[in-house]
Amino acid sequence: MNAPGAERRRSLHGEWTSRLGFILALAGSAVGLGNIWRFPYVAGQNGGGAFVLVYLVCVFAIGLPIMMSEVLIGRRGRRNPVRTMALLGEEEAGTRAWGLVGLLGVFTGFLILSFYSVIGGWTVAYIVEAASGAFVNAGADDVARIFSGIVSSPAVAGVWHTLFMILTIGVVVLGVEQGLERAVRVLVPALVALMLVLLGYSMTTGSFLQGVVFLFEPRFDELTGDSVLAALGQAFFTLSVGMGAVMTYGAYLPDHESIPRASIAVVIADTSIALLAGLVIFPIVFAHGLDPASGPGLVFQSLPLAFGQMPGGVIVATLFFLLLTFAAWTSAISILEPAVAFFMETWELTRAKAAVIVGTLIWLLGFVTVLSFGPWSDFRFWRGTWFDNIDHISNNLFLPIGGLAIVVFAGWVMARNSTADELDPEAGRGYRLWRISARYLAPVAVTLTLLSGLELF
Ligand code: PHE
């Protein structure tokens, strides 16, 4: 099935036990803080409606074909992203330089996890707050105080960040297949069920319609080059594409499983959960007179108001932040795994050693983000705080650049036979659609968005 003379490669680190296993792992990677924390606040900062529309177009027209490209490259190479890109680069184009794309991905993963773990730490802290009843009948001022009590203290936020990082390293040490499939199978449905409960509450706030209008009425005059780039960045971030996480999971995918079907299922699930989060949060924001553009604290300062008012709110809130922590955890694992696989294969380290070394470096870098929400919050340059900058560079620049390189590689550098072999041996209509977007639509759209976001034209 491979290029002439080549044998199908075997995974170095085990395989998913079933197709459902892969879909679950991929969904576990995609569904996380990106859907529930980042989507609402970035949509809020960019004026809602028109941003959401651009985001949806980016998800389906660009994110989906790139996700399929990443999985097929990963499964064909069956190595960490650096070696996979080098190997396929050599096989398809006679140059190992494509490994640099993998290297950018590993580096991007470092940056992303360094702040992701800090926000993951906030969600763990919120389990404790929720269980202690701190949100009961709380007003906006109380909730703001609880939030800043956590994020503005480097000691408090640092401890939770440390705990979150230990949890993430722990699973990666054990090996990603074990436990992950089973956890996600329960987690994602439970999270959706709880969000539906919250949606029921949002409908009673009296501001539901206002929330819906904000989220879906496109006011194109509010759209700037910067917000189009933000929509693209959010699409990449929420789908986990552009840095090799999906490629790494694809390396563990059995040969006969359908890549398009798994990708479509995950993209639809991920998008639905983000929209659901928006529908839950904005009515609460408007009902309490909060500012939709207030930034990274949006979810943490709006949802507790709802929990504080509803019957059984302590239990619902505790469960919600517990599930959100799990969702963040399964994503964090997928951000760490590419770098760990790279360290293992490059320096022949054990899984445990590689995970602890990489994890510790990321943990240390995370403290700059911790400080940027606390004592260093007034230290601003370029886009704002350290967090604002690292978030912008990794999600709005590096992920799209990485994704562009990946999709160009799959669409232009790889032989038609190679990609058809992975995606659809019969090369039907779905395959042609993928190839058109991989060759033209996605590369052109990403390039134009990057250029306009950088204000180069
Ligand atoms: N998709 C994850 C989320 O939405 C974050 C992520 C980004 C995971 C990049 C892997 C790679 O929370």
Side-chain angles (χ1 to χ4, degrees):
M1 282 170 81
N2 256 343
E7 300 239 318
R8 284 206 74 90
R9 276 179 281 270
R10 309 292 316 155
S11 165
L12 300 179
H13 310 291
E15 287 189 359
W16 307 108
T17 53
S18 62
R19 180 169 66 94
L20 197 61
F22 174 68
I23 293 184
L24 287 170
L26 200 56
S29 170
V31 176
L33 296 172
N35 308 62
I36 289 165
W37 160 73
R38 199 173 187 275
F39 171 71
Y41 96 73
V42 177
Q45 284 178 329
N46 288 281
F51 168 90
V52 175
L53 196 67
V54 177
Y55 155 78
L56 289 174
V57 172
C58 289
V59 161
F60 287 97
I62 302 171
L64 177 62
I66 294 186
M67 179 181 277
M68 288 164 58
S69 308
E70 250 192 71
V71 183
L72 84 85
I73 290 172
R75 182 167 71 182
R76 206 163 176 82
R78 292 233 187 263
R79 304 285 182 273
N80 73 75
V82 182
R83 263 227 280 167
T84 286
M85 290 300 295
L87 194 65
L88 296 191
E90 185 160 60
E91 206 165 277
E92 303 277 349
T95 164
R96 297 183 66 83
W98 283 96
L100 289 173
V101 177
L103 212 54
L104 174 69
V106 167
F107 180 65
T108 308
F110 260 81
L111 298 184
I112 292 181
L113 190 52
S114 79
F115 71 78
Y116 202 88
S117 169
V118 175
I119 317 299
W122 297 357
T123 65
V124 186
Y126 264 57
I127 303 174
V128 179
E129 295 289 345
S132 73
F135 303 148
V136 178
N137 289 320
D141 292 342
D142 305 313
V143 175
R145 202 171 326 113
I146 293 171
F147 179 69
S148 88
I150 294 166
V151 309
S152 62
S153 157
V156 177
V159 165
W160 296 115
H161 158 58
T162 305
L163 179 65
F164 188 86
M165 212 52 226
I166 291 174
L167 289 172
T168 305
I169 296 170
V171 175
V172 173
V173 165
L174 292 176
V176 167
E177 302 87 4
Q178 272 170 8
L180 192 68
E181 297 181 17
R182 221 169 319 146
V184 176
R185 197 184 295 241
V186 183
L187 169 82
V188 174
L191 191 62
V192 171
L194 214 56
M195 304 267 292
L196 289 174
V197 172
L198 284 172
L199 184 66
Y201 173 85
S202 277
M203 287 177 167
T204 67
T205 56
S207 302
F208 188 67
L209 213 64
Q210 203 185 341
V212 173
V213 168
F214 180 78
L215 205 53
F216 293 115
E217 189 189 63
R219 295 162 301 272
F220 286 106
D221 48 312
E222 295 187 16
L223 215 54
T224 61
D226 205 52
S227 53
V228 174
L229 182 60
L232 183 75
Q234 174 59 22
F236 276 80
F237 183 78
T238 193
L239 297 179
S240 310
V241 296
M243 58 145 280
V246 172
M247 199 184 286
T248 306
Y249 277 15
Y252 313 150
L253 179 66
D255 284 333
H256 50 275
E257 303 298 355
S258 161
I259 292 174
R261 254 193 300 172
S263 306
I264 290 169
V266 168
V267 168
I268 289 177
D270 186 82
T271 308
S272 313
I273 292 174
L275 293 178
L276 192 55
L279 281 177
V280 165
I281 283 153
F282 285 112
I284 299 170
V285 166
F286 292 123
H288 289 86
L290 304 177
D291 176 11
S294 64
L298 186 68
V299 174
F300 292 95
Q301 298 192 54
S302 57
L303 286 185
L305 297 170
F307 295 131
Q309 299 299 317
M310 63 176 66
V314 172
I315 296 179
V316 178
T318 310
L319 213 59
F320 177 81
F321 287 110
L322 194 65
L323 288 171
L324 185 56
T325 299
F326 270 108
W329 190 10
T330 56
S331 301
I333 290 163
S334 76
I335 309 175
L336 184 55
E337 178 69 12
V340 170
F342 171 63
F343 271 58
M344 280 168 74
E345 291 172 29
T346 308
W347 291 289
E348 293 182 0
L349 300 173
T350 61
R351 179 170 269 284
K353 245 191 211 146
V356 170
I357 292 173
V358 179
T360 304
L361 293 173
I362 294 173
W363 171 71
L364 286 172
L365 185 61
F367 278 93
V368 189
T369 292
V370 166
L371 289 165
S372 84
F373 282 107
W376 293 357
S377 62
D378 290 330
F379 176 54
R380 288 162 180 272
F381 57 103
W382 193 33
R383 313 270 317 181
T385 63
W386 164 266
F387 166 76
D388 296 324
N389 284 300
I390 202 165
D391 170 82
H392 181 73
I393 290 177
S394 51
N395 303 327
N396 297 350
L397 301 179
F398 286 175
L399 289 183
I401 291 170
L404 177 64
I406 287 167
V407 84
V408 165
F409 184 79
W412 292 96
V413 179
M414 287 180 79
R416 192 177 200 284
N417 277 344
S418 309
T419 50
D421 182 25
E422 296 294 336
L423 282 185
D424 177 5
E426 274 104 59
R429 195 158 49 101
Y431 175 78
R432 278 199 291 278
L433 215 59
W434 169 80
R435 199 162 146 90
I436 290 172
S437 35
R439 285 169 75 89
Y440 306 102
L441 190 64
V444 170
V446 173
T447 306
L448 290 181
T449 310
L450 276 171
L451 293 178
S452 81
L454 293 171
E455 283 166 4
L456 293 184
F457 71 80

